Amino acid sequence: MSQKPINFLHLSTLVAVAILVGTELVGASWAAGWALGGLFQLDPMISHALEALFSLLGFIGLYFFMKTAVRNEPIRG
C-alpha cells in the first residue's frame, strides 16, 4: 500500500497557522490567568495555578483547532 506524497504547501500552511494561533491562544489564556489573579489580589501561588490552568485550556483549544485544520487542509494528498 503506497501513501500519497506530502504536500509541502499544505504542511507549511499548517505549521504557520499552528505558530500564529498557538501563540495567540496560549498567550491570551496565560494573560487571562495573570489578570484575574491581579484583579482579585489572589495569593501568588493561586495566581500561578490560574495561569497554568488557563494555559492548559489554551493548549487544548489549539489541539482541537489544529485537528480541524488538518482535516480541512490534509498534509498528504
Side-chain angles (χ1 to χ4, degrees):
M1 176 178 198
S2 64
Q3 292 183 345
K4 294 180 182 178
I6 293 176
N7 186 333
F8 286 102
L9 181 61
H10 289 185
L11 180 64
S12 65
T13 300
L14 288 170
V15 168
V17 121
I19 292 169
L20 178 67
V21 173
T23 302
E24 294 289 332
L25 265 178
V26 175
S29 300
W30 176 81
W34 171 80
L36 286 175
L39 181 66
F40 295 118
Q41 297 179 351
L42 300 175
D43 185 66
M45 280 302 285
I46 295 173
S47 183
H48 291 311
L50 277 176
E51 292 169 15
L53 175 68
F54 284 2
S55 294
L56 179 63
L57 291 174
F59 279 114
I60 291 170
L62 176 62
Y63 169 76
F64 285 110
F65 178 83
M66 287 307 297
K67 191 173 165 182
T68 303
V70 169
R71 191 174 344 132
N72 290 308
E73 187 95 1
I75 295 174
R76 294 195 180 270

